[in-house]
Amino acid sequence: MWEVIKSVLAAFFGVQKERQRQHDFQHGKPGAFIAVGIVMAAVLVMLVAAVAIMAAR
Amino acid sequence: MRKTLAWIMGAGSFLGLASSTLANGWNMPAGVTDVSREIYSLHMTIFWICVVIGIVVFGVMFYSLFRYRRSRGAKSANFHENTSVEVVWTAVPLLILVGMALPATATLKRMYDASEADLDVMVTGQQWRWHYEYLGENVSFTSSLSTPRSQINGEEEKGENYLLDVDQPLVLPVGRKVRFLMTSDDVIHSWWVPDLAVKQDSIPGFVNENWVRIEEPGIYRGQCAELCGKDHAFMPVVVRALEGDEFDSWLAERRKEAEAEASGVDREWSMDELMERGEQVYGAICATCHQPDGSGAEPTFPALAGNEALLNDRDRHIDVVLNGVSGTPMAAFRSNLNPVELAAVITYERNAWGNESGDVVQPSEIQALLEQ
Ligand SMILES: [Cu+2]
């Protein structure tokens, strides 16, 4: 699970290690990456919204 | 050593050229409000950040192209990915962007805070003029282009403020927070005065807010910034900023005039009074098209002097002036002129330049028509 989260974070940032990529493609399940990706996108949106709300106060 | 010197001199003359270009009126103005100066310094900060980035990036690029060219036996490196370099070139731009966004957002926030204004002015765009109303002060007027037609048509030399002059500028006080409520009667316009750093769309059916606190008295000019039809270029904005007490007496004067006019609607006006008032209105508004002597400019602008058809049809005359002729430059004046001005200008046209209808149009008659 932690591996999947790390890879999704790397994808958000836009840089991934080649070794990790090989590992993901051989051992990971696509469904897990998609699910974690959606959840983390939602978290990102909420984080940005929270910062915006705080700044607007 | 000499090479370095050449580089420094090159970079120096580039920077010198850049700053003198900026100083020569190519740049945006710093303006005369706190916000406009903030925007200006943001603009300059970001500009110089871009200049530095440009110099570094292109410097490295050109240096590498030159230094490691094939004729000097350079061999291309053949490796794939370098995670730390990639992290650096992702993180550095991110930090630069966030660093620029923080002050920019703080300024935006200030720009949007139109609360606690000392004065509210409703700005209404109309094809092709601006209407200003000082809310709660019973003062309102229309501000239209005053550049003579002859300059526009190239028959006369263009003046200094060509297409940037109006009959009645918007008058504002210095040092007070003025809130604008922007809307439109017809299509989307945009009220833009660079020195005040205000550029706000005026949209039919919406009210947009904006505000200024002008710091220096003076005349500030701008234009409609949203393509709004044929005469888009002919609806400039002129703001005259006065010291607080001068502004107060100006406003009191205008309020008195408005009250006098309002009370004038009910009373009976004499022919002479209407002719005198009508001449002023005609000269200020109608003469640009119909000419000061009423001779018009056929075939576009009909003559009003000696226009028998018009003189024989009083009702049509009133109707044209109140409601305009759609699809022609003849605008509807019912909301731009008050009943006294309308009655006066119609009376004037029916009795000036040898027109001898003898008709008097009373403000009360116009008032009744407007209320229908
Ligand atoms: Cu316009």
Coordinates of all heavy atoms in Angstrom, one line a residue, chain A residues 13-19 55-57, chain B residues 80-81 83 86-87 89-91 94 109:
Chain A
F13 N 4.0 14.6 -8.7 CA 5.2 15.5 -8.8 C 5.7 15.5 -10.2 O 6.2 16.5 -10.7 CB 6.2 15.1 -7.8 CG 7.4 16.0 -7.7 CD1 7.2 17.2 -7.0 CD2 8.6 15.7 -8.2 CE1 8.2 18.1 -6.9 CE2 9.7 16.6 -8.1 CZ 9.5 17.8 -7.4
G14 N 5.6 14.4 -10.9 CA 6.0 14.3 -12.3 C 7.3 13.6 -12.5 O 7.9 13.6 -13.6
V15 N 7.9 13.1 -11.4 CA 9.3 12.4 -11.5 C 9.2 11.1 -10.8 O 8.7 11.0 -9.7 CB 10.4 13.3 -10.9 CG1 11.7 12.6 -11.0 CG2 10.4 14.7 -11.5
Q16 N 9.7 10.0 -11.5 CA 9.7 8.7 -10.9 C 11.0 8.0 -11.2 O 11.6 8.2 -12.3 CB 8.5 7.9 -11.5 CG 8.5 6.5 -11.1 CD 8.1 6.3 -9.6 OE1 8.9 6.7 -8.8 NE2 7.0 5.7 -9.4
K17 N 11.5 7.2 -10.2 CA 12.7 6.4 -10.4 C 12.4 5.3 -11.4 O 11.4 4.7 -11.3 CB 13.2 5.9 -9.1 CG 13.9 6.8 -8.2 CD 14.7 6.0 -7.2 CE 15.0 6.8 -5.9 NZ 13.8 7.0 -5.1
E18 N 13.4 5.0 -12.3 CA 13.2 3.9 -13.2 C 13.0 2.6 -12.5 O 12.1 1.8 -12.9 CB 14.4 3.9 -14.2 CG 14.4 2.7 -15.2 CD 13.2 2.9 -16.2 OE1 12.6 4.0 -16.3 OE2 12.9 1.9 -16.8
R19 N 13.8 2.4 -11.4 CA 13.7 1.1 -10.7 C 12.3 0.9 -10.1 O 11.7 -0.1 -10.3 CB 14.7 1.1 -9.5 CG 15.0 -0.3 -9.1 CD 16.3 -0.4 -8.3 NE 17.0 0.9 -7.9 CZ 16.8 1.6 -6.8 NH1 15.9 1.1 -5.9 NH2 17.5 2.7 -6.6
A55 N -6.7 31.5 3.6 CA -6.1 32.8 3.1 C -7.2 33.8 3.0 O -6.9 35.0 3.1 CB -5.4 32.5 1.8
A56 N -8.4 33.4 2.7 CA -9.5 34.4 2.4 C -10.0 35.0 3.7 O -10.7 36.0 3.7 CB -10.6 33.8 1.7
R57 N -9.6 34.4 4.9 CA -10.2 34.9 6.1 C -9.4 36.1 6.6 O -8.3 36.3 6.4 CB -10.1 33.8 7.2 CG -11.5 33.4 7.6 CD -11.5 32.9 9.1 NE -10.8 31.7 9.3 CZ -11.3 30.5 9.2 NH1 -12.6 30.4 8.9 NH2 -10.6 29.4 9.4
Chain B
H80 N 20.3 7.7 -19.6 CA 18.9 7.9 -19.5 C 18.5 8.2 -18.1 O 18.9 7.5 -17.2 CB 18.2 6.6 -20.0 CG 16.7 6.8 -20.0 ND1 15.9 6.5 -19.0 CD2 15.9 7.2 -21.0 CE1 14.6 6.8 -19.3 NE2 14.6 7.2 -20.6
E81 N 17.8 9.2 -17.9 CA 17.2 9.7 -16.6 C 18.3 9.9 -15.5 O 19.3 9.3 -15.4 CB 16.2 8.7 -16.0 CG 16.7 7.4 -15.7 CD 16.0 6.7 -14.5 OE1 15.3 7.4 -13.7 OE2 16.2 5.6 -14.3
T83 N 17.4 11.1 -11.7 CA 16.2 11.5 -10.8 C 16.5 12.7 -10.1 O 15.6 13.6 -10.0 CB 15.9 10.3 -9.8 OG1 15.9 9.1 -10.6 CG2 14.6 10.6 -9.2
E86 N 16.1 15.8 -12.3 CA 14.7 16.0 -12.6 C 13.9 16.6 -11.4 O 13.1 17.4 -11.6 CB 14.0 14.6 -13.0 CG 14.5 14.2 -14.4 CD 14.0 12.8 -14.7 OE1 12.9 12.4 -14.2 OE2 14.7 12.1 -15.5
V87 N 14.2 16.1 -10.2 CA 13.6 16.7 -9.0 C 13.9 18.1 -8.9 O 13.0 19.0 -8.7 CB 14.0 15.9 -7.7 CG1 13.6 16.7 -6.5 CG2 13.4 14.5 -7.7
W89 N 14.8 20.3 -11.3 CA 14.2 21.2 -12.3 C 12.7 21.2 -12.2 O 12.0 21.9 -12.9 CB 14.8 20.9 -13.7 CG 14.2 19.8 -14.5 CD1 13.0 19.3 -14.6 CD2 15.0 19.0 -15.4 NE1 12.9 18.3 -15.5 CE2 14.1 18.0 -16.0 CE3 16.4 18.9 -15.7 CZ2 14.6 17.1 -16.9 CZ3 16.8 18.0 -16.6 CH2 15.9 17.0 -17.2
T90 N 12.1 20.3 -11.4 CA 10.7 20.4 -11.2 C 10.4 21.3 -9.9 O 9.5 22.1 -9.9 CB 10.1 19.0 -10.9 OG1 10.5 18.2 -11.9 CG2 8.6 19.1 -10.8
A91 N 11.3 21.1 -8.9 CA 11.0 21.9 -7.7 C 11.4 23.4 -7.8 O 10.6 24.2 -7.3 CB 11.9 21.3 -6.5
L94 N 8.6 25.3 -9.4 CA 7.5 25.3 -8.5 C 7.7 26.4 -7.5 O 6.8 27.2 -7.2 CB 7.4 23.9 -7.9 CG 6.2 23.7 -7.0 CD1 4.9 23.5 -7.8 CD2 6.4 22.6 -6.0
K109 N -6.4 40.1 -3.5 CA -7.4 40.2 -2.4 C -7.7 41.6 -2.1 O -8.9 42.0 -1.8 CB -6.7 39.5 -1.2 CG -7.6 38.5 -0.5 CD -7.0 37.9 0.7 CE -7.8 38.3 1.9 NZ -7.0 38.0 3.2

